Amino acid sequence: AIAAIGGPRARILAVEPLPALFERLAYNIGQSDFANVKAVSCALADVDGEVTLFVNTYNQGESSVRIVSAEARVEQLQVRAKTLLSLAHEEGYSKIDAIKLDVEGAEDLVLDPFLSTAPRTLWPRLIVMEFALLRVGAQLEQRLRGLGYREILRTGENVAYELAKEETPA
């Protein structure tokens, strides 16, 4: 759906750390008409290298670099990880229009180091993420507001923030 909205000039990066889900993602991209979507097999985290992914065996979509649920049956898997900034540099991005994060409670691990080290020109104009699982959601939301993001949408599971345009002196 995002590829259709972005149109043929949009560059879309889909990141998936679980090998089986990555294979399905890559297959689905290959079957679509959207040549502008690229799949990358890694986790987004606060470090480059290898991280432990906690895989919910009953719902792999709830896998995370954080333990999300004490009740879930979890297996641990070592996966390659990249920071958002490293991934953006490696893929040659000079700007990010939008990012949809679905990292199951690790949004701050992805966004905090990025917003601390990336030039403001690389900050996404739009950030969409789940908020139901954010254990540190209040702190992250407060930080985003302090950096010039404003909430523009909240649904049952997601929240969207837009980066305010910087005023240029007259």
Side-chain angles (χ1 to χ4, degrees), residues 7-144:
R9 290 186 20 226
R11 288 179 55 207
I12 298 169
L13 203 57
V15 179
E16 176 56 56
L18 281 172
L21 295 182
F22 175 79
E23 286 181 28
R24 187 180 314 157
L25 172 65
Y27 174 81
N28 288 340
I29 291 170
Q31 297 302 306
S32 74
D33 293 332
F34 301 111
N36 55 342
V37 179
K38 179 180 178 181
V40 176
S41 179
C42 74
L44 286 176
D46 56 344
V47 294
D48 289 328
E50 217 173 70
V51 296
T52 300
L53 187 68
F54 299 96
V55 181
N56 182 331
T57 57
Y58 296 118
N59 181 358
Q60 291 185 338
E62 288 185 357
S63 300
S64 179
V65 295
R66 282 201 168 127
I67 296 176
V68 177
S69 170
E71 295 83 40
R73 184 165 174 261
V74 174
E75 293 178 0
Q76 295 181 26
L77 178 66
Q78 293 301 116
V79 296
R80 182 173 76 110
K82 294 281 178 191
T83 66
L84 182 55
L85 184 57
S86 291
L87 189 59
H89 284 315
E90 286 177 13
E91 295 298 325
Y93 282 86
S94 60
K95 75 174 193 159
I96 300 173
D97 290 319
I99 185 168
K100 167 65 167 89
L101 283 178
D102 187 358
V103 291
E104 301 300 318
E107 289 78 4
D108 61 319
L109 289 179
V110 174
L111 289 175
D112 279 338
F114 178 79
L115 295 170
S116 295
T117 58
R120 188 176 174 94
T121 55
L122 192 57
W123 291 4
R125 289 188 323 193
L126 180 68
I127 297 173
V128 179
M129 61 187 166
E130 290 183 343
F131 73 91
L133 294 174
L134 287 178
R135 286 186 266 169
V136 292
Q139 296 95 333
L140 179 57
E141 290 180 324
Q142 183 178 15
R143 175 133 195 261
L144 288 172

